[in-house]
Structure formats: C-alpha cells, structure tokens
Amino acid sequence: MVGAFVGAFALLMLSAFTSVLAGGPVGTKRELVNAAYEAAAGECLNWEKPDLSDAQKVDCSAAHKFEVTGTADITSAYPAEAPFPNAEAWEKIAQENCTQAATTYMSGKLDPQGKYGISTLNPDETRWASGYRQLRCGLQVTAPSGAALPSYGSAKTQDQSNVYDPGVCVALGENNTVGDPIECAKPHAFEIIGVVQHPEGAYLPIEQQDAVMSEKCAEVANEYTGGADLKAKNLLVTWDTRAEESWAVGSRKANCKIGAVPQGENLVAWEGSVRNPDGAPLTTSNPPQTTSVRPQDEPTGAPLHSESGKPSESGSPSESSKPDKPSSSSPTTTTENR
C-alpha cells in the first residue's frame, strides 16, 4: 500500500461509521450494542453484520475490527443546536480529534504506510439530536475498499507491515489500482506467494531492497509454484518494498507476488492460482484474511494513509524500483509497490 504522508494521517471515516455503534437507523437493536459506547482506550471491538449492529467488546487477542485509542468529546465545538455533520465535516472532526490520540497510543510509532489506519466511531443522527457528542478514536486494518479486515493482538505489539498471507489473491481495482482480497478463481491482479522479513539494521534504499527481493522472491516463486514456467503463462514475479518511514518503526516485511505481464503501465487481470497443489501447507498468520472480503452495505472509508484520503496510484508500476535484468534461470521479474 502506497500513500503520501504529509502532516496528518488520513482518517478512514465516511458515512458508514456514522452508524457503527448505533446499528444504523433507529430500531430494536440499539440496546444490543450499548456496551461498545463504553469502550475505553486499549479495548477492542468486533462485529459480523454489514450494518455493524452487533458490535461488541472482545479480547484483543481474538479477531477484532477496531482497537480503541481514546475518546473525544466535541460538545464545545458542536453545541446542542449544531446540525448533524456531513461526511466531509466528520472527516475534519476526526482529523482534529483522533490523529494525536493514535500517535500517543502508539508511542509515536505508527507506520504511516502500514496496515493500521486511523478511524472513528461516531454517533448516529438520533444520538446527535439528543446531544451525544462523544467519539471513539481507534485503529483498523482495512482493505483498499475500506472494508474492515480482522486483526489479531494489540496494534501496540504487532508488526505493522502492510502484507497479506501467502495464497491470498487481490483484485484489480479501478484506475489501475490493487483492490481487495478475492478468490483466486476470479480475475485478480496478483497472487501473494510469500513474505520476506528484512533484518534489523539501517534502512535499505529501494534499489538494495529490490536486489534482495529479486533473489528471495525468485526462490519463493520456485517453491510456491513447484518450478512452473511462469513466462509460458504470461506471468511474472513482482514484490513490494518498504518506505524509510515504515522501516523506522519496525515494518520490515514485504510481499512476493505473481501477476500477469502488464500492458504498458497497465496491470492485467488473470484467473486461477499458480500454487503447486502438491506443495507444503501454507503458513499463514491471519487465516480469515486469506479469503475474499465480504461486501458491506457501504464502504467504511479510504484505506490509505494520505492527507486527502484518496486511493493512491499503488497499482501503477514504479519506475524507480525496477530490478536489474533477471538471470536466465530465474522467473521473469519486475517490481511495484502495493
């Protein structure tokens, strides 16, 4: 995932979060989720229903979709007569009230391009009309569409590298971008084949990361595919790199992946998997993330850490990170950041 980091993190907050804890429109389900309104910093919340009406506090070691970093009361800025904020106003409110809470919660070590994004849980229109003005600030792992992905363990103790498990396929999104996890039988941009852990030490410039990833991903591809002839399938090996600000907070993992040979600078969708069916079982850290993301009634926000909150051009080939010519014994390789 690539996004600019200029001043403040982008906040993953659009209209869907307005009803996160209220269960959407007023109804009989409201009392089932009141416990979430009492969640404090360090507590985690999970839900299964697309309208988030079943949100409950859970142990952070279990699957969850929101980790509370603090609360904010905006009564002084929005008195009783203030109109209900629109999506743009909510984003401004979240930026002003939750960015610092996340930074403080993470002791200043929040990866601006990592898997965790800053978000908010806001009151719905009915609670707003009654004078309720308290927000829950938090961190989430999200797919590019904004759909919440399950997280395990507190963000304080987890590696923040933006990686997927081997075996995950990711869709080809609009405007040449990489989309959500999707079933490999469906058209997709990449199949994730492995994760490379860079060692501790000084930051490796992109060209050095490329050299490391080129060698390691060729080995990973050979094992993952059982030595398949990728060139004959019009496929190639590619990988991600880590930005210096990510490296500084300990994000040293990067994905190896396989994609179709691009047409110019445009990614090409392909179907199926190149995994060797007789290969060893895959080692995954978050099994629920190895399946496609279930659609939600509404997107929960832009998933990138950019000031504007707009998706980045992460699907476009990176001219600055192309490797040297591969050896004739290695799979054809190129590279681009996700």
Side-chain angles (χ1 to χ4, degrees):
M1 179 185 300
V2 178
F5 176 60
V6 184
F9 295 101
L11 302 213
L12 316 185
M13 191 287 301
L14 290 180
S15 58
F17 271 145
T18 301
S19 59
V20 163
L21 299 183
V26 180
T28 58
K29 295 179 180 178
R30 181 180 300 282
E31 294 305 314
L32 297 178
V33 298
N34 280 347
Y37 278 101
E38 302 172 357
E43 294 184 319
C44 293
L45 303 171
N46 196 41
W47 55 83
E48 294 297 332
K49 296 181 180 180
D51 64 0
L52 314 181
S53 61
D54 59 340
Q56 293 291 322
K57 288 191 284 188
V58 298
D59 191 290
C60 290
S61 62
H64 60 273
K65 296 176 181 173
F66 194 88
E67 181 171 350
V68 181
T69 58
T71 60
D73 192 301
I74 59 174
T75 304
S76 60
Y78 294 86
E81 64 275 13
F84 186 74
N86 59 23
E88 183 177 351
W90 271 126
E91 183 167 354
K92 183 174 183 292
I93 290 169
Q95 289 174 339
E96 293 174 346
N97 291 276
C98 289
T99 301
Q100 187 57 51
T103 303
T104 300
Y105 182 79
M106 296 293 286
S107 301
K109 295 182 178 181
L110 180 60
D111 184 350
Q113 297 187 32
K115 65 181 181 180
Y116 292 104
I118 303 169
S119 192
T120 63
L121 302 181
N122 309 317
D124 67 353
E125 290 189 60
T126 300
R127 287 186 180 272
W128 182 273
S130 72
Y132 191 90
R133 296 291 187 270
Q134 193 170 80
L135 314 176
R136 251 63 187 177
C137 302
L139 294 172
Q140 278 195 310
V141 177
T142 56
S145 68
L149 294 175
S151 182
Y152 299 81
S154 171
K156 289 184 174 183
T157 61
Q158 300 304 300
D159 186 290
Q160 298 179 55
S161 303
N162 183 32
V163 295
Y164 287 116
D165 287 332
V168 173
C169 288
V170 289
L172 178 57
E174 296 180 358
N175 301 318
N176 203 37
T177 59
V178 177
D180 289 3
I182 191 172
E183 295 174 10
C184 292
K186 296 180 179 180
H188 53 273
F190 296 110
E191 179 174 358
I192 306 301
I193 60 173
V195 178
V196 172
Q197 171 74 64
H198 290 290
E200 295 298 318
Y203 173 69
L204 289 181
I206 296 299
E207 60 272 15
Q208 293 184 34
Q209 290 186 50
D210 281 338
V212 171
M213 296 298 289
S214 176
E215 179 180 354
K216 290 186 177 296
C217 289
E219 295 173 357
V220 169
N222 188 64
E223 180 177 355
Y224 185 89
T225 67
D229 184 351
L230 297 178
K231 187 174 182 179
K233 299 176 182 290
N234 204 36
L235 300 174
L236 47 73
V237 178
T238 181
W239 53 83
D240 297 331
T241 55
R242 296 278 74 92
E244 188 167 6
E245 58 264 38
S246 298
W247 195 280
V249 298
S251 297
R252 309 290 175 84
K253 294 181 179 179
N255 275 137
C256 298
K257 52 196 181 184
I258 287 176
V261 175
Q263 294 181 352
E265 293 193 349
N266 293 319
L267 300 176
V268 175
W270 57 290
E271 299 177 10
S273 170
V274 292
R275 182 174 174 243
N276 178 13
D278 298 321
L282 296 176
T283 300
T284 58
S285 57
N286 296 322
Q289 291 186 25
T290 64
T291 57
S292 58
V293 173
R294 287 180 295 177
Q296 297 189 148
D297 290 343
E298 297 181 73
T300 54
L304 304 182
H305 305 278
S306 61
E307 190 171 42
S308 66
K310 296 178 181 179
S312 74
E313 299 298 323
S314 58
S316 303
S318 173
E319 294 298 331
S320 64
S321 56
K322 292 184 178 179
D324 296 331
K325 294 180 180 179
S327 67
S328 58
S329 61
S330 302
T332 303
T333 59
T334 187
T335 181
E336 52 194 57
N337 297 328
R338 178 174 68 80

